[in-house]
Amino acid sequence: MSDDIKGIVKEKYAQAALRVTAAAGSSCCGTASSRGECDPITSGIYGDSDMSALPDEARAASLGCGNPTALAELKPGETVLDLGSGGGIDVLLSAGRVGPTGKAYGLDMTDEMLALARENQRKAGVGNVEFLKGEIEQIPLPSNTVDVIISNCVINLSADKDRVFAEAFRVLKPGGRLAVSDVVVRGEVPAAIRRSVELWIGCVAGALEERQYRDKLAAAGFEGIDLEPTRVYRVEDARDFLTGAGLDADTIAPQVADRFMSAFVRARKPA
Ligand SMILES: C[S@@+](CC[C@H](N)C(=O)[O-])C[C@H]1O[C@@H](n2cnc3c(N)ncnc32)[C@H](O)[C@@H]1O
């Protein structure tokens, strides 16, 4: 099951990387989305000052649902790790924030995304960056070596979220921070509706409910857990997709309203 999900996710993001490489900068919102040109999930999440510092292909490859580098309060000299770094946008932004005495790692399992990210690094001329091939369930870094873990809309794609949180905890230094953007479900939603909305958002493995998110982080050993909604999705945005899935958007609207969101999740490894 878990291997099937990984295969589907890899194929989806290999295609997304190839679309960016083939047609950089052609979408009106600057995203590599398959949901539509002006994507309600990925569009408009970065400020102009962030965007202007990046190569076109890094901007076009943005598939996140938040701006974790802006919220993570990165400091010069810190070591940052981005789980599921895609085209590298958050790694390149982090590298600027931690400066030449710091280091930004990106970790991704998809070869096409790694190739795109390394090309974006070359174009941006940034030295303090390294893109690693591997899985977020088995992070290829030693224990207690990272100051800050960021991630942008990736943990929802994992079929083994407990393992991801355990690995994040392991590689963080004591006192290290987790600062991730992810899709979160708030409250109960009937299973069929939940699955359809999640597929529209792109959560192949299913998003966590807010309480579950907090409980799993706590079970991995994290403290200071905080979850803050950054964008709440509207049923209106998903109307065509839901209708295509055989659901009546008007009827299910009350069960979807205010339940699906991107959130910024913070937690700390005890010092
Ligand atoms: C939604 S995209 C987000 C990319 C990037 N964070 C951004 O904001 O543009 C998901 C990325 O995570 C990678 N990914 C998904 N599941 C992964 C896993 N289990 N291990 C490593 N990488 C994974 C995919 O290859 C893809 O590049």
Side-chain angles (χ1 to χ4, degrees), residues 131-144:
F131 289 101
L132 307 170
K133 179 166 179 174
E135 298 183 355
I136 63 175
E137 296 83 0
Q138 202 171 350
I139 299 175
L141 284 175
S143 303
N144 305 315

Side-chain angles (χ1 to χ4, degrees), residues 83-97:
L83 301 181
S85 42
I89 186 163
D90 294 315
V91 180
L92 298 177
L93 290 172
S94 298
R97 292 192 160 97

Side-chain angles (χ1 to χ4, degrees), residues 80-127:
V80 182
L81 167 65
D82 182 11
L83 301 181
S85 42
I89 186 163
D90 294 315
V91 180
L92 298 177
L93 290 172
S94 298
R97 292 192 160 97
V98 299
T101 57
K103 171 114 188 195
Y105 290 101
L107 172 64
D108 207 287
M109 66 179 180
T110 307
D111 288 320
E112 291 80 352
M113 275 297 183
L114 286 164
L116 177 61
R118 288 178 181 137
E119 181 59 14
N120 286 335
Q121 177 189 359
R122 193 190 59 75
K123 286 187 183 135
V126 182

